[in-house]
Amino acid sequence: MSKADSTWPDQLFAVLKAADIRQVGYVPDAGHARLIERCAADPAIRDVVLTTEEEGVALAAGAWLGGQRSALLMQSSGVGNCVNMLSLIKSCRFPLVMIVTMRGEWAEFNPWQVAMGSIVEPVLRLADVHAYRLDRAEDVADVAAGAVDLAFGGDHAIALLLSQRLIGRKVWVK
Amino acid sequence: MLERRKAIATLLAKRPDDLVIVSGLGSITYDVASVGDDDRNFYLWGAMGGAAMVGLGVALAQPARRVAVITGDGETLMGLGALATVAVQKPANLAIIVFDNGLYGETGSQASHTRGTVDLTKAAAACGIGFTLEVDNEAGLGRLAELLGSYTETLFARVAITPTEPPRVLPTRDGVALKLRFRRAVGA
């Protein structure tokens, strides 16, 4: 991995900080490990580990009701767990920032990941979540900052889809 | 066991100024509205299973206020994992109050899991919520009402109610309006 490749989680963290994100809900994922670690280490951010991703959608609504901005981290399979709860976001026009590490695409070793991974984008589109796919590390900071602006500037739901190409091939140990 | 409308009226009779409410969808939203509409109420009309987590988000963002999630047994069961998530966060200003009639009143009164083997209070305690209450009489309800102005750790209370279906009291269903007025009310 080049240096640029490995610093994108830190760039995402900088985007979250610049946007004054104060609550970060997450279901752990290897691709998010660095970002979760950065959030947990920041005293100004409340990191909230979730049992399922839909909890994080509701958490984001509550955070906004209370006057704080939040972000929600998950793997692509978690998008499927969020579907009905996204109606809360649409019905009340809550801002929502989802950061999704993709599985089930390039270099995937587990075929069970493909079923959900391959429908993430249409599912998000149907739920009125604006999805931005990120394949290259050099695009991360700019695209993420713009998408976060869209979310909080106009009460929209956005998702940043961090592709498997960006994250890197998952090491599969037998 | 308690009648739900009398129970909600007692519970909120001396509502503290700093208490905001998130209500779960269905009968409990009508109960909360029956006491009087209030900008500090955020009623859910959907998002089943999400009430406790909406409450957690508010509680973390508004540490100077107390938050009461008031919901039903079916709504709680759909988001049972939220009890675990809330317990881990230990929000000192969050109370989860479940009106438990052991059935799904909106859909034809089918039995819920609490009519079977599930004890929500024990589940909350097992998740690590240290302050739990079983409320099944007026005295217990009075104590819970007092606590709404004074609790200092995460509180879970199960209020046993009779399976009645009082007339519906419908607050606005406009989610954007509910959001905006709640935010104004808490200075967000």
Side-chain angles (χ1 to χ4, degrees):
Chain A
M1 251 189 222
S2 70
K3 189 162 184 279
D5 285 344
S6 61
T7 61
W8 60 262
D10 294 316
Q11 293 171 31
L12 278 176
F13 180 72
V15 169
L16 298 185
K17 287 299 289 179
D20 194 28
I21 298 289
R22 302 294 300 278
Q23 297 186 34
V24 174
Y26 66 96
V27 172
D29 178 66
H32 275 317
R34 172 74 180 160
L35 184 54
I36 291 168
E37 191 181 285
R38 292 293 308 269
C39 292
D42 189 318
I45 292 179
R46 183 65 169 256
D47 60 304
V48 180
V49 62
L50 311 165
T51 72
T52 176
E53 293 80 358
E54 66 174 316
E55 288 177 4
V57 178
L59 180 77
W64 184 253
L65 284 173
Q68 287 189 343
R69 295 176 169 197
S70 69
L72 171 57
L73 318 184
M74 69 183 73
Q75 186 190 94
S76 49
S77 48
V79 172
N81 291 345
C82 290
V83 173
N84 184 56
M85 204 58 77
L86 289 172
S87 66
L88 170 64
I89 302 301
K90 183 171 176 175
S91 299
C92 304
R93 233 174 338 110
F94 282 113
L96 178 68
V97 170
M98 300 165 71
I99 306 180
V100 180
T101 45
M102 292 302 299
R103 293 289 304 271
E105 49 180 39
W106 176 83
E108 178 60 62
F109 63 89
N110 181 353
W112 290 36
Q113 288 283 355
V114 178
M116 186 63 226
S118 61
I119 61 169
V120 160
E121 290 191 44
V123 162
L124 290 172
R125 191 165 58 244
L126 287 167
D128 272 358
V129 179
H130 299 267
Y132 298 89
R133 185 179 170 85
L134 287 161
D135 288 307
R136 303 188 310 166
E138 56 265 40
D139 295 335
V140 167
D142 195 34
V143 173
V148 168
D149 282 350
L150 175 67
F152 296 112
D155 295 342
H156 287 292
I158 68 99
L160 299 169
L161 307 183
L162 311 179
S163 75
Q164 254 176 295
R165 195 74 200 265
L166 172 73
I167 298 163
R169 191 183 287 266
K170 183 162 176 160
V171 180
W172 176 238
V173 183
K174 194 175 175 182
Chain B
M1 291 214 286
L2 296 151
E3 194 283 317
R4 59 188 313 148
R5 286 289 160 83
K6 281 169 68 179
I8 197 78
T10 303
L11 196 59
L12 299 179
K14 292 183 209 158
R15 177 175 177 170
D17 287 343
D18 72 348
L19 186 76
V20 300
I21 293 174
V22 176
S23 66
L25 80 171
S27 305
I28 198 75
T29 269
Y30 317 145
D31 293 338
V32 171
S34 75
V35 180
D37 192 20
D38 193 302
D39 289 354
R40 297 166 297 169
N41 295 349
F42 187 74
Y43 312 107
L44 291 168
W45 280 95
M48 188 163 176
M53 289 303 300
V54 173
L56 177 62
V58 178
L60 296 178
Q62 291 278 333
R65 295 176 197 275
R66 288 190 175 85
V67 181
V69 171
I70 309 182
T71 188
D73 48 303
E75 207 275 342
T76 304
L77 287 160
M78 191 171 280
L80 209 52
L83 295 179
T85 297
V86 165
V88 167
Q89 293 301 320
K90 299 182 169 62
N93 58 335
L94 179 62
I96 299 172
I97 299 164
V98 180
F99 275 34
D100 185 357
N101 57 6
L103 54 80
Y104 292 88
E106 287 284 298
T107 56
S109 298
Q110 298 89 348
S112 84
H113 295 51
T114 65
R115 182 73 58 86
T117 56
V118 176
D119 182 327
L120 288 173
T121 307
K122 284 184 181 168
C127 285
I129 296 177
F131 190 8
T132 63
L133 284 178
E134 279 279 320
V135 175
D136 61 3
N137 58 41
E138 289 291 336
L141 195 63
R143 182 175 174 228
L144 180 58
E146 291 293 324
L147 278 168
L148 287 182
S150 63
Y151 69 92
T152 54
E153 62 179 308
T154 310
L155 167 64
F156 178 94
R158 189 188 78 100
V159 178
I161 57 165
T162 50
T164 55
E165 271 194 86
R168 292 178 176 180
V169 178
L170 307 180
T172 180
R173 282 164 283 184
D174 184 331
V176 177
L178 289 167
K179 172 189 72 173
L180 293 175
R181 73 175 201 171
F182 186 95
R183 278 172 54 87
R184 271 196 300 272
V186 301

